[in-house]
Every structure is written in C-alpha cells, then in structure tokens.
Amino acid sequence: MRQMSAFIDQNGNQRWGTPNIGSLRRLDTGIYLIEFAEPFHENPVVTATIYGSNWQTMNISVAIVEVSPWHCVYSTSTPDRPVDCSTMVMIMGE
C-alpha cells in the first residue's frame, strides 16, 4: 500500500508532504491536477480537504472530479462559483 500526502497551495504548488508526489498544477480557477510520478496499479483512493483560516474558508468546498492510476483532478468552489483555495490531499492505493 502506497500513501502520499501533500499541502497544495491555491496556485497548485506543493508546499510540504510526500516528496516526488508527481506533477501538480492549477488548470483553471479552482481546478487542480496531480499527475503521479509513479502510476498506481488501479485507481487510488483520494481525499482532499480545504486548508486555511476558518473565516476565509467556511463557505468553500472541495470535490474529487476524476481519479485514475495516473492522475487525479479536484476542484474547489463556493456555492456559486469556482475559487482558488489551498488543500490537504491524501492518496492511497496499490
């Protein structure tokens, strides 16, 4: 079982976490892509949570949009529009 975790800032940059998680980038406002440095054998389990001060993030949610052995895509948004936001991401799989 492989486990990776990362703090990803609102610009799509990894600030800390598992080294060499892969390529990370912000695709558009509130849409982020993680391309794994080493693919999994099957789709991993991906969880993400918003990171930041309560007063700045209380109305923001995160959704896992797509998962494959090679990458995952997630989005952050308020109830009415996409927004950029820092996240903590955990990825587990074989």
Side-chain angles (χ1 to χ4, degrees):
M1 174 75 64
R2 283 173 43 206
Q3 294 184 343
M4 300 186 293
S5 60
F7 166 64
I8 302 169
D9 70 17
Q10 67 273 13
N11 297 313
N13 302 306
Q14 181 175 345
R15 293 297 177 197
W16 68 77
T18 306
N20 302 320
I21 194 171
S23 170
L24 298 102
R25 61 190 157 120
R26 179 182 160 274
L27 298 177
D28 201 349
T29 302
I31 301 175
Y32 301 89
L33 169 69
I34 301 173
E35 294 176 299
F36 308 128
E38 180 183 334
F40 289 87
H41 295 292
E42 54 189 44
N43 289 355
V45 173
V46 179
T47 59
T49 189
I50 299 300
Y51 182 88
S53 301
N54 189 33
W55 63 272
Q56 293 177 311
T57 61
M58 65 187 334
N59 68 334
I60 299 174
S61 63
V62 62
I64 306 300
V65 177
E66 184 179 328
V67 176
S68 81
W70 303 274
H71 72 273
C72 71
V73 177
Y74 67 92
S75 66
T76 55
S77 64
T78 63
D80 62 338
R81 69 183 187 284
V83 294
D84 293 332
C85 187
S86 299
T87 54
M88 297 292 288
V89 178
M90 174 69 79
I91 304 157
M92 296 178 287
E94 306 237 2

